[in-house]
């Protein structure tokens, strides 16, 4: 007998039956070519988000050469325009992740990331044709808002659509696809930034390429289905099972969908999460842990990634050579993610975060002591590899530890602190670079990663192989 209350609403027990049945179907999906194609398609949007994030350090040289940006107190805010440019990006990311990403819990993952990707592409294109530092920095802030929404939504969507045994490996592969953008933007900057083509300086072409390609990906990705777990959480169980049926067909397995009369129906009960929910006793420690982790990991990740050409220049390399060295170093982002995907599901995500941070500490210290170009590239390659390892492991980890009804809100809130810290650390790193040189910046990064190791190692729960509903 159907477990429907007299008021016509689905009973709690029926809700649990539907959710468990749906979760079991998702977790039973095989690691087929169809599933990997789905993961790759979802990751393509993130390709251009990371392309845009990492272009900060590379196109700044072109903006300085065109006399749009100025150094030191000559900048528009009395600071280096490069620092203000980086800070505006991360202020936008903070705004998008903390204030707008929660809409993914309300309106769905698919609609939210489609709107965010279109927003990013349009404002990037507008920014490419600006000639004043003030307007470039302003539109860079708006671009950051779209990026902040997109990255959080992709993470929640990916977690909810892949089987539990494959989550970490799926994230590693997804970031392999996304991190291909880093050497791409480094190579394009090395080639284009020093040039002027058809009256436009090279840095503009770097921005335009990312904007136009992201709009193409928007057209490709618009046919992606909604997250089945989100649909089920909204009470739309029939639609959720239909989406999983499509995923089963894509994976080449027999459909295991229940018949319509086996799916509990009735008046939809929406379980809407609020900001207060992420501070409930069962989630409070996780929220605080991830806030601290995000705040300090971004210093290590973006402190090295965005300032890599400047750090290499501080070691005596010319602008052209520093961009070329940076290209070889950034190859570690996709290669590191691809290699890590071989063992991603064999180690707890919390320990992967700790080990990758330790790797940054070791090779960051060695980088600070080097002056030989070959050794600089080797140490930089290893730091970049560890950053790639850290990235996929913590992105997977923070989406696993919160339930579906607050996942985007909680992840967006915690993730936003990585963006907020970078707003200030971008300025601080610029000051440290001027006063203490490359060694001072690396010391700052090393201390930050030691804090990440401590907080995750001590307070992080285990998640490996567990069903999302049981973590």
């Amino acid at each position: 007998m159907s477990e429907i209350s007299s008021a016509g609403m689905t009973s709690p027990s029926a809700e649990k039956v539907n959710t468990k049945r749906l979760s079991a179907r998702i977790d039973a999906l095989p690691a087929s070519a169809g599933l990997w194609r789905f993961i790759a398609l979802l990751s393509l949007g993130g390709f251009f988000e990371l392309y845009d994030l990492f272009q900060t350090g590379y196109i700044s040289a072109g903006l300085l050469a065109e006399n749009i940006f100025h150094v030191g107190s000559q900048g528009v805010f009395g600071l280096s325009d490069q620092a203000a440019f980086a800070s505006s990006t991360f202020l936008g990311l903070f705004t998008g992740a903390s204030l707008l990403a929660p809409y993914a819990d309300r309106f769905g993952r698919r609609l939210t990331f489609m709107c965010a990707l279109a927003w990013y592409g349009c404002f990037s294109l507008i920014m490419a044709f600006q000639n004043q530092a003030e307007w470039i920095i302003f539109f860079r802030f708006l671009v950051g808002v779209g990026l902040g929404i997109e990255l959080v939504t992709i993470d929640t969507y990916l977690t909810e659509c892949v089987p539990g045994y494959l989550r970490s490996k799926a994230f590693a592969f997804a970031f392999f696809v996304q991190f291909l953008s880093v050497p791409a933007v480094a190579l394009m900057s090395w080639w284009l930034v020093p040039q002027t083509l058809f009256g436009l300086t090279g840095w503009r072409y770097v921005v335009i390429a990312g904007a136009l390609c992201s709009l193409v990906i928007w057209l490709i990705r618009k046919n992606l289905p909604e997250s089945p777990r989100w649909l089920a959480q909204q009470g739309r169980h029939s639609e959720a099972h239909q989406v999983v049926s499509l995923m089963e067909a894509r994976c080449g397995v027999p459909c295991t969908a229940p018949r319509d009369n086996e799916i509990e129906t009735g008046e939809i009960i929406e379980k809407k999460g609020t900001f207060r929910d992420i501070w409930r006793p069962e989630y409070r420690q996780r929220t605080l842990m991830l806030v601290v982790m995000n705040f300090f990991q971004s210093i290590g990740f973006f402190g090295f990634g965005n300032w890599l050409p400047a750090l290499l220049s501080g070691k005596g390399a010319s602008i052209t050579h520093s961009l070329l060295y940076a290209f070889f170093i950034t190859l570690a982002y996709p290669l590191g993610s691809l290699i890590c995907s071989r063992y991603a599901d064999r180690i707890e995500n919390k320990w992967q975060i700790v080990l990758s941070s330790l790797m940054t500490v070791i090779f960051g210290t060695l980088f600070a002591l080097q002056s030989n170009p070959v050794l600089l590239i080797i140490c930089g390659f290893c730091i970049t590899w560890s950053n790639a390892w850290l990235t996929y492991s913590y992105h997977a980890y923070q989406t696993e530890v919160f339930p579906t009804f607050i996942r985007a809100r909680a992840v967006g809130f915690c993730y936003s602190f990585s963006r907020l810290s970078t707003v200030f650390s971008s300025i601080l790193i610029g000051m440290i670079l001027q006063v203490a040189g490359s060694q001072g910046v690396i010391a700052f990064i090393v201390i930050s990663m030691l804090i990440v190791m401590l907080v995750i190692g001590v307070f992080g729960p285990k998640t490996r192989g567990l069903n999302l509903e049981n973590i």
Side-chain angles (χ1 to χ4, degrees), residues 45 49 54 72 93 115 146 158 162 176 198 204 213 220 345 406 411 414 452:
E49 269 62 58
F54 277 89
L93 286 161
C115 290
L158 186 58
V162 298
F176 160 68
F198 305 106
R204 300 179 191 273
C213 290
I220 296 174
D345 286 309
I406 58 168
V411 171
C414 297
V452 172

Side-chain angles (χ1 to χ4, degrees), residues 161-173:
C161 290
V162 298
Y165 72 91
L166 203 62
R167 277 197 301 267
S168 295
K169 183 174 288 190
F171 268 89
F173 178 78

Side-chain angles (χ1 to χ4, degrees), residues 61-63 65-66 187-206 320 323:
L63 287 158
E66 199 174 345
L187 184 61
M188 288 187 67
S189 299
W190 171 68
W191 172 43
L192 291 171
V193 167
Q195 302 188 47
T196 298
L197 302 171
F198 305 106
L200 290 178
T201 46
W203 71 266
R204 300 179 191 273
Y205 286 102
V206 176
T320 301
L323 289 174

Side-chain angles (χ1 to χ4, degrees), residues 392-420:
Y392 85 75
S393 55
Y394 90 78
H395 273 269
Y397 189 67
Q398 65 186 7
T399 56
E400 291 175 322
V401 297
F402 294 107
T404 300
F405 79 103
I406 58 168
R407 182 167 290 121
R409 180 182 299 276
V411 171
F413 175 76
C414 297
Y415 191 52
S416 69
F417 278 85
S418 69
R419 282 44 190 134
L420 183 63

Side-chain angles (χ1 to χ4, degrees), residues 93-171:
L93 286 161
F94 171 76
T95 303
S98 61
L99 300 181
L100 299 179
Y103 283 109
D105 284 335
R106 181 176 180 182
F107 297 111
R109 314 322 191 194
R110 179 187 175 279
L111 177 62
T112 304
F113 71 58
M114 293 303 294
C115 290
L117 185 59
W119 175 290
Y120 151 74
C122 290
F123 282 112
S124 288
L125 201 58
I126 294 172
M127 188 193 77
F129 293 97
Q130 302 305 308
N131 295 302
Q132 294 178 295
E134 296 91 338
W135 285 111
I136 289 175
I137 292 169
F138 171 71
F139 283 111
R140 186 64 173 175
F141 167 77
L142 294 180
V143 167
V145 172
L147 293 176
I149 304 169
E150 177 78 2
L151 291 174
V152 171
T153 311
I154 288 176
D155 286 353
T156 58
Y157 192 103
L158 186 58
T159 294
E160 293 169 1
C161 290
V162 298
Y165 72 91
L166 203 62
R167 277 197 301 267
S168 295
K169 183 174 288 190
F171 268 89

